[in-house]
Amino acid sequence: MEAVENYFTPLEDVRRVSPYAVEVIVFPFHAGDSVAKNKNKKEDCTHFDRAAKKGNRPIHIMETIEINGPKAHPVYRYFKKMSGIKKLDVDQPTFFLVNAAGNQVDYYIGATISRFLTLLRVRLLDYEEL
C-alpha cells in the first residue's frame, strides 16, 4: 500500500505549490487497450482504491472513468477538444493545466510529476506577472 500512498504524495505536493490558486483533480481511468495487450497480467487495484478513499487529502480523487471513446468522461472530452488531442495514450501520464475561467487548457504528455511541478511554477509566475 505504501507504493500507492507514495503515488499520491507528489500529487499532493503539486497542490501545495499554491494552495489558493491550484486545485488537483485525479481521475483514475480504465486502462482499456493496455489491459487488452496485457491479458496475462491481472492488476489488483485494492490498494489504490483504499488509498484513494483516504480522507483529508488536499487533492480530489474522482470516480474511475473512461478517457477515450464514446463513453469518455465529459471533462476529458472537453480537455481533449481544447487541446486538440484525439486520443489519450493510457500508458503516458498526462497533466492538464486549466485556467480559472476554463477557457485555456495546456497539456503535458509524458511529463513526470517533478517536471510538471517545474512547469506549474513557471506558469504561476506567468500569471502573477499579468
Side-chain angles (χ1 to χ4, degrees):
M1 171 119 155
E2 187 169 322
V4 174
E5 265 316 305
N6 290 340
Y7 173 80
F8 287 118
T9 301
L11 294 172
E12 292 169 350
D13 291 343
V14 170
R15 172 72 161 85
R16 289 183 187 102
V17 167
S18 183
Y20 297 104
V22 175
E23 286 293 336
V24 175
I25 303 171
V26 177
F27 285 93
F29 60 89
H30 299 288
D33 295 339
S34 222
V35 171
K37 289 179 197 170
N38 299 312
K39 286 182 181 177
N40 297 332
K41 182 181 175 187
K42 282 198 163 195
E43 300 222 10
D44 179 8
C45 298
T46 307
H47 297 303
F48 179 89
D49 292 339
R50 198 171 338 170
K53 290 176 183 170
K54 177 183 171 189
N56 299 322
R57 290 194 179 282
I59 61 176
H60 307 284
I61 315 260
M62 309 305 281
E63 76 274 4
T64 301
I65 64 165
E66 298 290 336
I67 61 172
N68 292 310
K71 293 182 181 179
H73 191 280
V75 169
Y76 269 79
R77 285 198 308 260
Y78 179 75
F79 287 170
K80 292 189 312 186
K81 177 182 174 188
M82 293 296 291
S83 304
I85 298 171
K86 300 272 186 230
K87 184 176 180 181
L88 286 167
D89 182 349
V90 297
D91 294 323
Q92 290 289 324
T94 303
F95 298 91
F96 292 96
L97 186 56
V98 184
N99 70 348
N103 59 6
Q104 180 180 346
V105 178
D106 296 329
Y107 64 95
Y108 306 94
I109 297 173
T112 62
I113 290 177
S114 62
R115 176 70 179 137
F116 180 69
L117 277 168
T118 301
L119 296 166
L120 176 62
R121 287 184 179 105
V122 169
R123 182 56 96 187
L124 288 171
L125 287 173
D126 289 346
Y127 288 140
E128 288 177 8
E129 292 176 6
L130 294 177

